[in-house]
Amino acid sequence: MTPTDSPLSWLSPRKIIDMVFGAAVMGTVGTLIGLIMGSGAFQVGAGIGIILGTVVGIFGGRRFLISILVGTLLGGALAWALAGPENITLGAGAGAAMGGFLGVQISMLLDTWAERKRAAAMGKEK
């Protein structure tokens, strides 16, 4: 570490954007789940969501966060269309959970396919 490096030099603008995006997405999801639980749990849910979202952003989980965002929007829209506006919160929270689950699975598949493609290309070079 040189004297010109700051302790926070690992924070690139892209990483900061990912952290803010993660805090916004996961904080929203935590708030939605807390509203479903009732009795002021939305503050705890929002706090935990913001912390988790920031950590996911630090580790570069942009695909994961996008899948949660899409799940939230689709779940809320589907609940609104099927059950009315009073159930948007429930649908959005459930959609976020499903979006996160599916996002992890799709990400694992994409990584596996990329690794197989890389291994096949290495085999052809020999």
Side-chain angles (χ1 to χ4, degrees), residues 23-126:
V25 169
M26 296 292 279
T28 301
V29 171
T31 301
L32 291 170
I33 292 172
L35 286 172
I36 293 168
M37 294 175 67
S39 71
F42 74 94
Q43 293 141 336
V44 174
I48 291 171
I50 290 170
I51 292 168
L52 288 175
T54 303
V55 170
V56 169
I58 288 171
F59 289 116
R62 185 176 288 189
R63 285 191 294 192
F64 175 69
L65 293 168
I66 289 172
S67 68
I68 290 175
L69 179 63
V70 169
T72 302
L73 296 174
L74 290 177
L78 186 62
W80 185 21
L82 295 177
E86 63 276 356
N87 291 318
I88 292 174
T89 305
L90 181 64
M98 288 301 298
F101 174 76
L102 292 173
V104 167
Q105 300 305 316
I106 291 170
S107 180
M108 287 173 45
L109 284 174
L110 290 173
D111 291 343
T112 301
W113 289 336
E115 185 61 34
R116 284 185 184 171
K117 197 181 249 187
R118 208 173 304 125
M122 293 296 275
K124 289 180 183 178
E125 290 178 5
K126 292 182 180 181

